Amino acid sequence: MGRKLRMGMIGGGIGSFIGDVHRKASAIDGMIDLVCGAFSSNAEKSIASGKALYLSEERCYGSYEEMILKEKQLPEDVRMDFVAIVTPNHMHFPPAKMALEHGFHVVCDKPLTLTLEEAEALQKVVESSGKLLALTHNYTGNPMVKQARAMVANGDLGEIRKVQVQYLQGWLSTAVESTDNKQAAWRVDPKKSGIGGALGDIGTHAENLLEYITGLKIAELAADLGRFGKGRVLDDDGNLLLRMENGAKGTMSISQIALGEENNLAIKVYGEKGSFEWYQENPNELITRWIDQPKKVYTPNGNGLYQEALNVSRIPAGHPEGYLEAFATIYRNFALHIKAVNNGDIIKNPDYPTVEDGIRGMKFIYAAVESDKNNTIWVKV
């Protein structure tokens, strides 16, 4: 399949942070072109956004329904191959379901859907449609995260005993939702965000990163959630105890009211023979410590990396790789999977977050909310 894949976008119009991130990340490896979009529920704004992105007006649609139906009618060598959904949580399920049912693959922002029921329904649609769905837990695309995962899988650390993960932000320390901040407004609204606030927005990233790196699922959790912002009904802070499926113990700390924090996602994993730590704000170093060796620091394209990390190290050692490149890895691996499917090849374990990861994230949110409502009791995930 010697051509670029054609992407349509739902949401992500002028002024959107995450829409612009998706467009940049999808273009990094030269495998994907944006060809159409329904960038806003307002038709005029959608068309204006499309023109600003140099798209032809006939491929700028007033609604996602119009886009999916009209793209389906176009010749196969013109129509989009997949859609990227970059809307608030409550608008993930309807367009994802419709796109899959009309034969289009889907990339979707996390969390997967507004409710667990929607997530389970979407999983059935993915299975019945035969199409692919990627979930943008973008931090899993970082080379040092791939290295960490490979080291655990190879047994370098031995049996995992303890895990610590945190995701701390401070941007909701004040009532920014009462200003003209759309990003804050929908995140604190349960009708648009779901039953989780920080849980859905950043907690699912922490949960996914932990399970991805260790290869272990969270078996049970006990959550103590906070709602510090005046009038907020959704959590903006939380501390969780974790029990992993192999018996390892863990902690998770999430917050969007941790004043002064920017995007402090970090993870530490402790095994019988060694440990490591990784910080998203310094993503090019994986710091490892060993029971019988000196401390080692791994870097992208540096010495001693497993092939899984080398595969996604795009530039020479010593040149920083970060957020956009990690995001791009999700798109690259998804694009490679689409090309394989179109060529009749089978990929059993694609290396990007799928609908199953989305289900895990929703179950994590629901378990944490249930635990918090019941005085931090242990709840199975």
PDB file of all heavy atoms in Angstrom, residues 110-111 137 165-169 196-210 218 221 225 235 238 240 242 252-256 265 360-362 364-365 368:
ATOM      1  N   LYS A 110      -8.443   9.926  24.965  1.00  0.00           N
ATOM      2  CA  LYS A 110      -8.858   9.244  26.183  1.00  0.00           C
ATOM      3  C   LYS A 110      -9.593  10.225  27.094  1.00  0.00           C
ATOM      4  O   LYS A 110      -9.444  11.445  26.928  1.00  0.00           O
ATOM      5  CB  LYS A 110      -7.663   8.587  26.874  1.00  0.00           C
ATOM      6  CG  LYS A 110      -6.513   9.549  27.197  1.00  0.00           C
ATOM      7  CD  LYS A 110      -6.746  10.348  28.436  1.00  0.00           C
ATOM      8  CE  LYS A 110      -6.309  11.768  28.288  1.00  0.00           C
ATOM      9  NZ  LYS A 110      -7.012  12.743  29.072  1.00  0.00           N
ATOM     10  N   PRO A 111     -10.386   9.759  28.074  1.00  0.00           N
ATOM     11  CA  PRO A 111     -10.806   8.364  28.208  1.00  0.00           C
ATOM     12  C   PRO A 111     -11.699   7.956  27.040  1.00  0.00           C
ATOM     13  O   PRO A 111     -12.198   8.804  26.300  1.00  0.00           O
ATOM     14  CB  PRO A 111     -11.569   8.356  29.535  1.00  0.00           C
ATOM     15  CG  PRO A 111     -12.074   9.749  29.687  1.00  0.00           C
ATOM     16  CD  PRO A 111     -11.012  10.626  29.097  1.00  0.00           C
ATOM     17  N   HIS A 137      -3.240   7.232  24.499  1.00  0.00           N
ATOM     18  CA  HIS A 137      -2.401   7.278  25.699  1.00  0.00           C
ATOM     19  C   HIS A 137      -0.979   7.487  25.191  1.00  0.00           C
ATOM     20  O   HIS A 137      -0.165   6.547  25.119  1.00  0.00           O
ATOM     21  CB  HIS A 137      -2.531   5.990  26.500  1.00  0.00           C
ATOM     22  CG  HIS A 137      -3.769   5.930  27.341  1.00  0.00           C
ATOM     23  ND1 HIS A 137      -4.065   6.876  28.300  1.00  0.00           N
ATOM     24  CD2 HIS A 137      -4.794   5.044  27.363  1.00  0.00           C
ATOM     25  CE1 HIS A 137      -5.214   6.577  28.881  1.00  0.00           C
ATOM     26  NE2 HIS A 137      -5.678   5.474  28.334  1.00  0.00           N
ATOM     27  N   VAL A 165       3.331   5.664  40.940  1.00  0.00           N
ATOM     28  CA  VAL A 165       3.077   6.492  39.770  1.00  0.00           C
ATOM     29  C   VAL A 165       2.362   7.751  40.219  1.00  0.00           C
ATOM     30  O   VAL A 165       1.559   7.732  41.156  1.00  0.00           O
ATOM     31  CB  VAL A 165       2.253   5.710  38.702  1.00  0.00           C
ATOM     32  CG1 VAL A 165       0.888   5.324  39.240  1.00  0.00           C
ATOM     33  CG2 VAL A 165       2.137   6.501  37.412  1.00  0.00           C
ATOM     34  N   GLN A 166       2.689   8.851  39.583  1.00  0.00           N
ATOM     35  CA  GLN A 166       2.044  10.111  39.917  1.00  0.00           C
ATOM     36  C   GLN A 166       1.793  10.905  38.643  1.00  0.00           C
ATOM     37  O   GLN A 166       2.510  10.763  37.650  1.00  0.00           O
ATOM     38  CB  GLN A 166       2.905  10.952  40.856  1.00  0.00           C
ATOM     39  CG  GLN A 166       4.201  11.466  40.219  1.00  0.00           C
ATOM     40  CD  GLN A 166       5.045  12.278  41.168  1.00  0.00           C
ATOM     41  OE1 GLN A 166       5.180  11.955  42.330  1.00  0.00           O
ATOM     42  NE2 GLN A 166       5.639  13.360  40.660  1.00  0.00           N
ATOM     43  N   TYR A 167       0.757  11.723  38.679  1.00  0.00           N
ATOM     44  CA  TYR A 167       0.502  12.680  37.603  1.00  0.00           C
ATOM     45  C   TYR A 167      -0.038  13.933  38.274  1.00  0.00           C
ATOM     46  O   TYR A 167      -1.179  13.983  38.711  1.00  0.00           O
ATOM     47  CB  TYR A 167      -0.504  12.122  36.597  1.00  0.00           C
ATOM     48  CG  TYR A 167      -0.441  12.802  35.236  1.00  0.00           C
ATOM     49  CD1 TYR A 167      -0.825  12.118  34.082  1.00  0.00           C
ATOM     50  CD2 TYR A 167      -0.006  14.115  35.091  1.00  0.00           C
ATOM     51  CE1 TYR A 167      -0.763  12.725  32.837  1.00  0.00           C
ATOM     52  CE2 TYR A 167       0.067  14.723  33.858  1.00  0.00           C
ATOM     53  CZ  TYR A 167      -0.320  14.031  32.730  1.00  0.00           C
ATOM     54  OH  TYR A 167      -0.260  14.647  31.498  1.00  0.00           O
ATOM     55  N   LEU A 168       0.815  14.936  38.370  1.00  0.00           N
ATOM     56  CA  LEU A 168       0.494  16.146  39.124  1.00  0.00           C
ATOM     57  C   LEU A 168       0.502  17.374  38.217  1.00  0.00           C
ATOM     58  O   LEU A 168       1.469  17.618  37.483  1.00  0.00           O
ATOM     59  CB  LEU A 168       1.513  16.346  40.249  1.00  0.00           C
ATOM     60  CG  LEU A 168       1.698  15.163  41.220  1.00  0.00           C
ATOM     61  CD1 LEU A 168       2.798  15.468  42.219  1.00  0.00           C
ATOM     62  CD2 LEU A 168       0.394  14.838  41.923  1.00  0.00           C
ATOM     63  N   GLN A 169      -0.594  18.114  38.271  1.00  0.00           N
ATOM     64  CA  GLN A 169      -0.727  19.385  37.570  1.00  0.00           C
ATOM     65  C   GLN A 169      -1.273  20.421  38.553  1.00  0.00           C
ATOM     66  O   GLN A 169      -1.850  20.067  39.574  1.00  0.00           O
ATOM     67  CB  GLN A 169      -1.690  19.266  36.383  1.00  0.00           C
ATOM     68  CG  GLN A 169      -1.264  18.282  35.308  1.00  0.00           C
ATOM     69  CD  GLN A 169      -2.331  18.139  34.236  1.00  0.00           C
ATOM     70  OE1 GLN A 169      -3.515  18.372  34.470  1.00  0.00           O
ATOM     71  NE2 GLN A 169      -1.909  17.739  33.042  1.00  0.00           N
ATOM     72  N   GLY A 196     -15.652  10.956  36.441  1.00  0.00           N
ATOM     73  CA  GLY A 196     -14.304  11.261  36.912  1.00  0.00           C
ATOM     74  C   GLY A 196     -13.820  12.589  36.377  1.00  0.00           C
ATOM     75  O   GLY A 196     -14.002  12.899  35.195  1.00  0.00           O
ATOM     76  N   GLY A 197     -13.188  13.386  37.225  1.00  0.00           N
ATOM     77  CA  GLY A 197     -12.573  14.629  36.802  1.00  0.00           C
ATOM     78  C   GLY A 197     -11.111  14.400  36.473  1.00  0.00           C
ATOM     79  O   GLY A 197     -10.753  14.000  35.371  1.00  0.00           O
ATOM     80  N   ALA A 198     -10.246  14.646  37.471  1.00  0.00           N
ATOM     81  CA  ALA A 198      -8.828  14.345  37.286  1.00  0.00           C
ATOM     82  C   ALA A 198      -8.616  12.859  36.997  1.00  0.00           C
ATOM     83  O   ALA A 198      -7.696  12.477  36.284  1.00  0.00           O
ATOM     84  CB  ALA A 198      -8.038  14.768  38.524  1.00  0.00           C
ATOM     85  N   LEU A 199      -9.478  12.021  37.550  1.00  0.00           N
ATOM     86  CA  LEU A 199      -9.379  10.577  37.297  1.00  0.00           C
ATOM     87  C   LEU A 199      -9.389  10.271  35.808  1.00  0.00           C
ATOM     88  O   LEU A 199      -8.585   9.478  35.309  1.00  0.00           O
ATOM     89  CB  LEU A 199     -10.549   9.840  37.963  1.00  0.00           C
ATOM     90  CG  LEU A 199     -10.426   9.474  39.431  1.00  0.00           C
ATOM     91  CD1 LEU A 199     -11.762   8.963  39.939  1.00  0.00           C
ATOM     92  CD2 LEU A 199      -9.323   8.455  39.656  1.00  0.00           C
ATOM     93  N   GLY A 200     -10.341  10.868  35.096  1.00  0.00           N
ATOM     94  CA  GLY A 200     -10.453  10.590  33.668  1.00  0.00           C
ATOM     95  C   GLY A 200      -9.410  11.317  32.858  1.00  0.00           C
ATOM     96  O   GLY A 200      -8.868  10.775  31.884  1.00  0.00           O
ATOM     97  N   ASP A 201      -9.114  12.544  33.245  1.00  0.00           N
ATOM     98  CA  ASP A 201      -8.236  13.378  32.445  1.00  0.00           C
ATOM     99  C   ASP A 201      -6.777  12.956  32.540  1.00  0.00           C
ATOM    100  O   ASP A 201      -6.090  12.815  31.526  1.00  0.00           O
ATOM    101  CB  ASP A 201      -8.400  14.837  32.887  1.00  0.00           C
ATOM    102  CG  ASP A 201      -7.845  15.823  31.878  1.00  0.00           C
ATOM    103  OD1 ASP A 201      -7.811  15.492  30.677  1.00  0.00           O
ATOM    104  OD2 ASP A 201      -7.453  16.928  32.284  1.00  0.00           O
ATOM    105  N   ILE A 202      -6.284  12.731  33.760  1.00  0.00           N
ATOM    106  CA  ILE A 202      -4.882  12.366  33.929  1.00  0.00           C
ATOM    107  C   ILE A 202      -4.699  11.033  34.652  1.00  0.00           C
ATOM    108  O   ILE A 202      -3.688  10.348  34.453  1.00  0.00           O
ATOM    109  CB  ILE A 202      -4.093  13.467  34.656  1.00  0.00           C
ATOM    110  CG1 ILE A 202      -4.693  13.767  36.026  1.00  0.00           C
ATOM    111  CG2 ILE A 202      -4.027  14.719  33.800  1.00  0.00           C
ATOM    112  CD1 ILE A 202      -3.909  14.793  36.840  1.00  0.00           C
ATOM    113  N   GLY A 203      -5.686  10.635  35.469  1.00  0.00           N
ATOM    114  CA  GLY A 203      -5.567   9.363  36.182  1.00  0.00           C
ATOM    115  C   GLY A 203      -5.493   8.173  35.240  1.00  0.00           C
ATOM    116  O   GLY A 203      -4.749   7.218  35.486  1.00  0.00           O
ATOM    117  N   THR A 204      -6.258   8.229  34.154  1.00  0.00           N
ATOM    118  CA  THR A 204      -6.218   7.117  33.196  1.00  0.00           C
ATOM    119  C   THR A 204      -4.862   7.024  32.509  1.00  0.00           C
ATOM    120  O   THR A 204      -4.418   5.937  32.142  1.00  0.00           O
ATOM    121  CB  THR A 204      -7.332   7.251  32.148  1.00  0.00           C
ATOM    122  OG1 THR A 204      -7.261   8.551  31.531  1.00  0.00           O
ATOM    123  CG2 THR A 204      -8.698   7.060  32.774  1.00  0.00           C
ATOM    124  N   HIS A 205      -4.194   8.171  32.318  1.00  0.00           N
ATOM    125  CA  HIS A 205      -2.828   8.133  31.788  1.00  0.00           C
ATOM    126  C   HIS A 205      -1.899   7.397  32.752  1.00  0.00           C
ATOM    127  O   HIS A 205      -1.073   6.561  32.329  1.00  0.00           O
ATOM    128  CB  HIS A 205      -2.298   9.548  31.568  1.00  0.00           C
ATOM    129  CG  HIS A 205      -2.595  10.120  30.220  1.00  0.00           C
ATOM    130  ND1 HIS A 205      -2.377   9.445  29.038  1.00  0.00           N
ATOM    131  CD2 HIS A 205      -3.101  11.333  29.873  1.00  0.00           C
ATOM    132  CE1 HIS A 205      -2.719  10.209  28.015  1.00  0.00           C
ATOM    133  NE2 HIS A 205      -3.174  11.357  28.499  1.00  0.00           N
ATOM    134  N   ALA A 206      -2.006   7.717  34.042  1.00  0.00           N
ATOM    135  CA  ALA A 206      -1.152   7.073  35.042  1.00  0.00           C
ATOM    136  C   ALA A 206      -1.441   5.584  35.110  1.00  0.00           C
ATOM    137  O   ALA A 206      -0.516   4.758  35.173  1.00  0.00           O
ATOM    138  CB  ALA A 206      -1.367   7.727  36.407  1.00  0.00           C
ATOM    139  N   GLU A 207      -2.727   5.234  35.110  1.00  0.00           N
ATOM    140  CA  GLU A 207      -3.124   3.817  35.145  1.00  0.00           C
ATOM    141  C   GLU A 207      -2.594   3.070  33.927  1.00  0.00           C
ATOM    142  O   GLU A 207      -2.031   1.979  34.030  1.00  0.00           O
ATOM    143  CB  GLU A 207      -4.652   3.726  35.220  1.00  0.00           C
ATOM    144  CG  GLU A 207      -5.243   2.353  34.960  1.00  0.00           C
ATOM    145  CD  GLU A 207      -5.623   2.145  33.501  1.00  0.00           C
ATOM    146  OE1 GLU A 207      -6.022   3.113  32.834  1.00  0.00           O
ATOM    147  OE2 GLU A 207      -5.515   0.981  33.026  1.00  0.00           O
ATOM    148  N   ASN A 208      -2.759   3.664  32.748  1.00  0.00           N
ATOM    149  CA  ASN A 208      -2.323   3.002  31.518  1.00  0.00           C
ATOM    150  C   ASN A 208      -0.807   2.860  31.468  1.00  0.00           C
ATOM    151  O   ASN A 208      -0.284   1.811  31.071  1.00  0.00           O
ATOM    152  CB  ASN A 208      -2.828   3.783  30.306  1.00  0.00           C
ATOM    153  CG  ASN A 208      -2.410   3.153  28.995  1.00  0.00           C
ATOM    154  OD1 ASN A 208      -1.449   3.592  28.367  1.00  0.00           O
ATOM    155  ND2 ASN A 208      -3.122   2.116  28.587  1.00  0.00           N
ATOM    156  N   LEU A 209      -0.100   3.912  31.856  1.00  0.00           N
ATOM    157  CA  LEU A 209       1.361   3.852  31.841  1.00  0.00           C
ATOM    158  C   LEU A 209       1.871   2.763  32.764  1.00  0.00           C
ATOM    159  O   LEU A 209       2.774   1.992  32.408  1.00  0.00           O
ATOM    160  CB  LEU A 209       1.936   5.208  32.250  1.00  0.00           C
ATOM    161  CG  LEU A 209       3.456   5.343  32.178  1.00  0.00           C
ATOM    162  CD1 LEU A 209       3.925   5.361  30.738  1.00  0.00           C
ATOM    163  CD2 LEU A 209       3.913   6.618  32.904  1.00  0.00           C
ATOM    164  N   LEU A 210       1.283   2.665  33.952  1.00  0.00           N
ATOM    165  CA  LEU A 210       1.686   1.652  34.919  1.00  0.00           C
ATOM    166  C   LEU A 210       1.454   0.246  34.379  1.00  0.00           C
ATOM    167  O   LEU A 210       2.343  -0.611  34.447  1.00  0.00           O
ATOM    168  CB  LEU A 210       0.915   1.860  36.219  1.00  0.00           C
ATOM    169  CG  LEU A 210       1.077   0.799  37.309  1.00  0.00           C
ATOM    170  CD1 LEU A 210       2.518   0.680  37.738  1.00  0.00           C
ATOM    171  CD2 LEU A 210       0.171   1.117  38.488  1.00  0.00           C
ATOM    172  N   ILE A 218      -3.900  -3.710  37.517  1.00  0.00           N
ATOM    173  CA  ILE A 218      -4.299  -3.346  38.870  1.00  0.00           C
ATOM    174  C   ILE A 218      -5.462  -4.251  39.253  1.00  0.00           C
ATOM    175  O   ILE A 218      -6.506  -4.243  38.608  1.00  0.00           O
ATOM    176  CB  ILE A 218      -4.728  -1.876  38.946  1.00  0.00           C
ATOM    177  CG1 ILE A 218      -3.572  -0.954  38.530  1.00  0.00           C
ATOM    178  CG2 ILE A 218      -5.208  -1.530  40.350  1.00  0.00           C
ATOM    179  CD1 ILE A 218      -3.979   0.500  38.347  1.00  0.00           C
ATOM    180  N   LEU A 221      -8.027  -1.480  44.179  1.00  0.00           N
ATOM    181  CA  LEU A 221      -7.562  -0.158  44.572  1.00  0.00           C
ATOM    182  C   LEU A 221      -8.418   0.392  45.710  1.00  0.00           C
ATOM    183  O   LEU A 221      -9.558  -0.018  45.911  1.00  0.00           O
ATOM    184  CB  LEU A 221      -7.561   0.806  43.385  1.00  0.00           C
ATOM    185  CG  LEU A 221      -8.877   1.100  42.651  1.00  0.00           C
ATOM    186  CD1 LEU A 221      -9.753   2.100  43.394  1.00  0.00           C
ATOM    187  CD2 LEU A 221      -8.586   1.606  41.252  1.00  0.00           C
ATOM    188  N   LEU A 225     -10.381  10.605  47.193  1.00  0.00           N
ATOM    189  CA  LEU A 225     -10.435  11.672  46.198  1.00  0.00           C
ATOM    190  C   LEU A 225     -10.767  13.010  46.854  1.00  0.00           C
ATOM    191  O   LEU A 225     -11.464  13.061  47.866  1.00  0.00           O
ATOM    192  CB  LEU A 225     -11.481  11.353  45.127  1.00  0.00           C
ATOM    193  CG  LEU A 225     -11.334   9.998  44.417  1.00  0.00           C
ATOM    194  CD1 LEU A 225     -12.454   9.819  43.403  1.00  0.00           C
ATOM    195  CD2 LEU A 225      -9.966   9.871  43.752  1.00  0.00           C
ATOM    196  N   ASP A 235     -13.787  15.078  41.043  1.00  0.00           N
ATOM    197  CA  ASP A 235     -12.499  15.082  41.726  1.00  0.00           C
ATOM    198  C   ASP A 235     -11.483  15.945  40.981  1.00  0.00           C
ATOM    199  O   ASP A 235     -11.420  15.944  39.751  1.00  0.00           O
ATOM    200  CB  ASP A 235     -11.970  13.652  41.852  1.00  0.00           C
ATOM    201  CG  ASP A 235     -11.776  12.981  40.500  1.00  0.00           C
ATOM    202  OD1 ASP A 235     -12.783  12.501  39.931  1.00  0.00           O
ATOM    203  OD2 ASP A 235     -10.644  12.953  39.995  1.00  0.00           O
ATOM    204  N   GLY A 238      -6.411  13.227  44.034  1.00  0.00           N
ATOM    205  CA  GLY A 238      -6.656  11.879  44.538  1.00  0.00           C
ATOM    206  C   GLY A 238      -5.393  11.148  44.933  1.00  0.00           C
ATOM    207  O   GLY A 238      -4.321  11.347  44.337  1.00  0.00           O
ATOM    208  N   LEU A 240      -4.316   7.058  45.802  1.00  0.00           N
ATOM    209  CA  LEU A 240      -4.827   5.697  45.680  1.00  0.00           C
ATOM    210  C   LEU A 240      -3.779   4.686  46.125  1.00  0.00           C
ATOM    211  O   LEU A 240      -2.578   4.830  45.829  1.00  0.00           O
ATOM    212  CB  LEU A 240      -5.218   5.374  44.234  1.00  0.00           C
ATOM    213  CG  LEU A 240      -6.361   6.178  43.596  1.00  0.00           C
ATOM    214  CD1 LEU A 240      -5.852   7.517  43.055  1.00  0.00           C
ATOM    215  CD2 LEU A 240      -6.988   5.384  42.457  1.00  0.00           C
ATOM    216  N   LEU A 242      -2.754   0.705  45.615  1.00  0.00           N
ATOM    217  CA  LEU A 242      -2.946  -0.269  44.550  1.00  0.00           C
ATOM    218  C   LEU A 242      -2.447  -1.644  44.970  1.00  0.00           C
ATOM    219  O   LEU A 242      -1.421  -1.763  45.647  1.00  0.00           O
ATOM    220  CB  LEU A 242      -2.183   0.162  43.284  1.00  0.00           C
ATOM    221  CG  LEU A 242      -2.378   1.598  42.799  1.00  0.00           C
ATOM    222  CD1 LEU A 242      -1.438   1.879  41.633  1.00  0.00           C
ATOM    223  CD2 LEU A 242      -3.823   1.847  42.402  1.00  0.00           C
ATOM    224  N   MET A 252      -0.636   5.586  43.831  1.00  0.00           N
ATOM    225  CA  MET A 252      -0.847   6.525  42.737  1.00  0.00           C
ATOM    226  C   MET A 252      -1.301   7.850  43.339  1.00  0.00           C
ATOM    227  O   MET A 252      -2.172   7.886  44.199  1.00  0.00           O
ATOM    228  CB  MET A 252      -1.911   6.014  41.761  1.00  0.00           C
ATOM    229  CG  MET A 252      -2.205   6.980  40.610  1.00  0.00           C
ATOM    230  SD  MET A 252      -3.602   6.470  39.554  1.00  0.00           S
ATOM    231  CE  MET A 252      -2.951   4.947  38.858  1.00  0.00           C
ATOM    232  N   SER A 253      -0.691   8.924  42.885  1.00  0.00           N
ATOM    233  CA  SER A 253      -1.100  10.261  43.307  1.00  0.00           C
ATOM    234  C   SER A 253      -1.410  11.076  42.068  1.00  0.00           C
ATOM    235  O   SER A 253      -0.579  11.168  41.149  1.00  0.00           O
ATOM    236  CB  SER A 253       0.010  10.938  44.123  1.00  0.00           C
ATOM    237  OG  SER A 253      -0.398  12.234  44.536  1.00  0.00           O
ATOM    238  N   ILE A 254      -2.618  11.645  42.017  1.00  0.00           N
ATOM    239  CA  ILE A 254      -3.001  12.483  40.881  1.00  0.00           C
ATOM    240  C   ILE A 254      -3.548  13.802  41.425  1.00  0.00           C
ATOM    241  O   ILE A 254      -4.133  13.846  42.504  1.00  0.00           O
ATOM    242  CB  ILE A 254      -4.056  11.805  39.993  1.00  0.00           C
ATOM    243  CG1 ILE A 254      -5.339  11.517  40.784  1.00  0.00           C
ATOM    244  CG2 ILE A 254      -3.515  10.539  39.353  1.00  0.00           C
ATOM    245  CD1 ILE A 254      -6.505  11.048  39.938  1.00  0.00           C
ATOM    246  N   SER A 255      -3.326  14.875  40.687  1.00  0.00           N
ATOM    247  CA  SER A 255      -3.853  16.155  41.128  1.00  0.00           C
ATOM    248  C   SER A 255      -3.822  17.155  39.989  1.00  0.00           C
ATOM    249  O   SER A 255      -2.914  17.133  39.143  1.00  0.00           O
ATOM    250  CB  SER A 255      -3.036  16.713  42.301  1.00  0.00           C
ATOM    251  OG  SER A 255      -3.616  17.912  42.773  1.00  0.00           O
ATOM    252  N   GLN A 256      -4.824  18.013  39.977  1.00  0.00           N
ATOM    253  CA  GLN A 256      -4.814  19.167  39.081  1.00  0.00           C
ATOM    254  C   GLN A 256      -4.883  20.474  39.877  1.00  0.00           C
ATOM    255  O   GLN A 256      -5.041  21.534  39.304  1.00  0.00           O
ATOM    256  CB  GLN A 256      -5.980  19.064  38.084  1.00  0.00           C
ATOM    257  CG  GLN A 256      -5.763  17.907  37.110  1.00  0.00           C
ATOM    258  CD  GLN A 256      -6.862  17.733  36.085  1.00  0.00           C
ATOM    259  OE1 GLN A 256      -8.041  17.721  36.434  1.00  0.00           O
ATOM    260  NE2 GLN A 256      -6.483  17.582  34.826  1.00  0.00           N
ATOM    261  N   LEU A 265       4.187  13.859  35.316  1.00  0.00           N
ATOM    262  CA  LEU A 265       3.894  12.429  35.240  1.00  0.00           C
ATOM    263  C   LEU A 265       5.200  11.680  35.477  1.00  0.00           C
ATOM    264  O   LEU A 265       6.204  11.940  34.805  1.00  0.00           O
ATOM    265  CB  LEU A 265       3.328  12.080  33.861  1.00  0.00           C
ATOM    266  CG  LEU A 265       3.157  10.596  33.520  1.00  0.00           C
ATOM    267  CD1 LEU A 265       2.182   9.907  34.465  1.00  0.00           C
ATOM    268  CD2 LEU A 265       2.699  10.436  32.070  1.00  0.00           C
ATOM    269  N   ARG A 360     -10.202  -0.767  30.277  1.00  0.00           N
ATOM    270  CA  ARG A 360      -9.456  -0.771  31.538  1.00  0.00           C
ATOM    271  C   ARG A 360      -9.510   0.605  32.196  1.00  0.00           C
ATOM    272  O   ARG A 360      -9.712   0.717  33.411  1.00  0.00           O
ATOM    273  CB  ARG A 360      -7.992  -1.156  31.293  1.00  0.00           C
ATOM    274  CG  ARG A 360      -7.759  -2.610  30.941  1.00  0.00           C
ATOM    275  CD  ARG A 360      -8.018  -3.536  32.093  1.00  0.00           C
ATOM    276  NE  ARG A 360      -7.230  -3.221  33.279  1.00  0.00           N
ATOM    277  CZ  ARG A 360      -7.453  -3.749  34.477  1.00  0.00           C
ATOM    278  NH1 ARG A 360      -8.447  -4.604  34.655  1.00  0.00           N
ATOM    279  NH2 ARG A 360      -6.689  -3.427  35.513  1.00  0.00           N
ATOM    280  N   GLY A 361      -9.342   1.652  31.392  1.00  0.00           N
ATOM    281  CA  GLY A 361      -9.362   2.992  31.935  1.00  0.00           C
ATOM    282  C   GLY A 361     -10.706   3.348  32.544  1.00  0.00           C
ATOM    283  O   GLY A 361     -10.774   3.947  33.630  1.00  0.00           O
ATOM    284  N   MET A 362     -11.796   2.964  31.874  1.00  0.00           N
ATOM    285  CA  MET A 362     -13.122   3.259  32.404  1.00  0.00           C
ATOM    286  C   MET A 362     -13.394   2.466  33.682  1.00  0.00           C
ATOM    287  O   MET A 362     -13.972   2.991  34.642  1.00  0.00           O
ATOM    288  CB  MET A 362     -14.187   2.948  31.350  1.00  0.00           C
ATOM    289  CG  MET A 362     -14.117   3.837  30.105  1.00  0.00           C
ATOM    290  SD  MET A 362     -14.191   5.613  30.471  1.00  0.00           S
ATOM    291  CE  MET A 362     -15.810   5.742  31.244  1.00  0.00           C
ATOM    292  N   PHE A 364     -11.165   1.520  35.783  1.00  0.00           N
ATOM    293  CA  PHE A 364     -10.337   2.179  36.797  1.00  0.00           C
ATOM    294  C   PHE A 364     -11.079   3.377  37.382  1.00  0.00           C
ATOM    295  O   PHE A 364     -11.136   3.552  38.610  1.00  0.00           O
ATOM    296  CB  PHE A 364      -9.009   2.607  36.168  1.00  0.00           C
ATOM    297  CG  PHE A 364      -8.263   3.644  36.947  1.00  0.00           C
ATOM    298  CD1 PHE A 364      -7.538   3.302  38.077  1.00  0.00           C
ATOM    299  CD2 PHE A 364      -8.292   4.981  36.546  1.00  0.00           C
ATOM    300  CE1 PHE A 364      -6.854   4.269  38.805  1.00  0.00           C
ATOM    301  CE2 PHE A 364      -7.605   5.948  37.264  1.00  0.00           C
ATOM    302  CZ  PHE A 364      -6.885   5.595  38.393  1.00  0.00           C
ATOM    303  N   ILE A 365     -11.656   4.217  36.528  1.00  0.00           N
ATOM    304  CA  ILE A 365     -12.394   5.389  36.993  1.00  0.00           C
ATOM    305  C   ILE A 365     -13.546   4.973  37.902  1.00  0.00           C
ATOM    306  O   ILE A 365     -13.724   5.504  39.004  1.00  0.00           O
ATOM    307  CB  ILE A 365     -12.938   6.201  35.805  1.00  0.00           C
ATOM    308  CG1 ILE A 365     -11.790   6.808  34.986  1.00  0.00           C
ATOM    309  CG2 ILE A 365     -13.883   7.308  36.285  1.00  0.00           C
ATOM    310  CD1 ILE A 365     -12.238   7.417  33.667  1.00  0.00           C
ATOM    311  N   ALA A 368     -12.419   3.622  41.314  1.00  0.00           N
ATOM    312  CA  ALA A 368     -11.915   4.667  42.200  1.00  0.00           C
ATOM    313  C   ALA A 368     -13.056   5.495  42.781  1.00  0.00           C
ATOM    314  O   ALA A 368     -13.049   5.837  43.975  1.00  0.00           O
ATOM    315  CB  ALA A 368     -10.938   5.564  41.446  1.00  0.00           C
TER     316      ALA A 368
END
